[in-house]
Structure formats: structure tokens, C-alpha cells
Amino acid sequence: MADSQPLQGLVLVTGPSRGGKSRWAEHLVGPCSPVSYVATSDPRPDDPAWQERIRLHRDRRSADWTVIESGADLVGALNSIPRNHTVLVDALGAFTAWHLETSSDIWMQRQTDLITSLQNRSQPVVVVIEETGWGVVPATAIGGRFRDRQGHLAQQLETVASKSWLVVQGRALDLHALGCSVPGR
């Protein structure tokens, strides 16, 4: 690992699209074995650009990783993984998107269930979570809901993370070493 400390607990990897988040997360779990890789997105078989992104991810993965496609049930997928596996979840934006139509109460319960599941893992868990809100304000209510839910989820996860990385322009920054918590959580 870049800072020579062993991977442990919940590790967050965040940043904008195409910044290198997934590559960094894959690098972090590289020395670990066994690894379960949880793909959260909708497969989108009729979208050639998406298929190319998925191909690039597949080509980078170690052949001995177990790959799980979680769909909307990320918590169920996490709970099905053997306890001795290091886990890489790529990425939470799809988890949030799968549940955009749920009520606020149901969303809060799903978020709580996810955090509990992540905390109950005995081996390290690396979670890629897309950073939102750095660009144009969403023009639709559902776009704003995604931004708000994703941002809140990221802050909740940060409260239990052992490490957090911001990956921008192919550079990884250790947020725990470089930053301080914003008061008032």
C-alpha cells in the first residue's frame, strides 16, 4: 500500500468520474487474498460505451478474484461473501441509483443496513463511492435526490472509515492524513 500500513477496516475511495478511483481501489486490495469484487451497476447490455468501461474493469481484475454482481441487493451480496475475503465494492453510486425511488425512511434504513453490513466484515473492505456535487446543479428533482443521498451516504461512511482516499486526475490523496473533520456532523 502507498503508505506502508496494512489494509484494515473500511477504506473509502472517492473522487470524480475518470479520476482513477477504481484503479486505486484495485491497487489497494492487490496484495490481499482472497478477494471478492462486488459490481453494483446495472449491466446495460445495449450501451456500447458502458460495455467498454466494464471490459476495462474486467481486464484489470486478478483472475483469482470472486466477482459478484449485486444488483439492487448490495447488503445481501455483502452478507453472502465468506468472512475471510477482503471485499472491493465498485461503486456505491449504483447502489444509490437503484434506490432513488424509495421513500426517505426506506432509504435511511437501507443506508443503515449497508453501514452495519460493512462494519460487520472481519477482513478489509474497500468501497468506491463517486463524489457528487462538484459540477452543475442537477436540473431534475431525481438528480438532486441522487446528489443529496450520495453525499450523505459518503459522510456517514466516513465516520466509520479507517482510511479515506480522494482520487483526482490519477493522483490519490490520503484524506485522513491531509484533512480534518468538519465540525457539526
Side-chain angles (χ1 to χ4, degrees), residues 45-176:
D46 297 327
D47 183 342
W50 190 250
Q51 291 306 306
E52 177 60 14
R53 287 183 82 153
I54 290 174
R55 184 193 65 75
L56 292 171
H57 281 248
R58 280 186 187 130
D59 289 351
R60 288 194 312 255
R61 287 183 210 143
S62 174
D64 63 345
W65 290 2
T66 301
V67 177
I68 299 161
E69 294 183 6
S70 69
D73 189 13
L74 177 56
V75 172
L78 287 168
N79 293 339
S80 74
I81 297 169
R83 299 202 40 81
N84 66 325
H85 282 222
T86 295
V87 175
L88 170 53
V89 177
D90 196 357
L92 288 187
F95 171 75
T96 302
W98 281 109
H99 301 290
L100 278 178
E101 299 296 334
T102 63
S103 70
S104 293
D105 290 341
I106 292 171
W107 168 250
M108 292 303 287
Q109 185 60 54
R110 290 208 169 113
Q111 181 177 265
T112 298
D113 292 346
L114 174 63
I115 292 168
T116 299
S117 179
L118 293 169
Q119 287 183 293
N120 286 338
R121 300 292 313 171
S122 58
Q123 294 298 312
V125 180
V126 176
V127 174
V128 176
I129 183 166
E130 300 87 339
E131 196 62 43
T132 61
W134 286 15
V136 177
V137 174
T140 63
I142 202 160
R145 185 179 309 140
F146 176 85
R147 176 203 56 212
D148 293 347
R149 286 184 176 184
Q150 185 83 345
H152 184 261
L153 177 57
Q155 287 194 46
Q156 293 305 305
L157 288 168
E158 169 54 32
T159 67
V160 297
S162 62
K163 199 84 154 160
S164 290
W165 295 93
L166 172 63
V167 182
V168 181
Q169 301 172 358
R171 307 284 297 179
L173 303 170
D174 181 343
L175 293 177
H176 286 191

Side-chain angles (χ1 to χ4, degrees), residues 31-42:
C32 301
S33 183
V35 173
S36 283
Y37 177 99
V38 182
T40 60
S41 76
D42 179 354

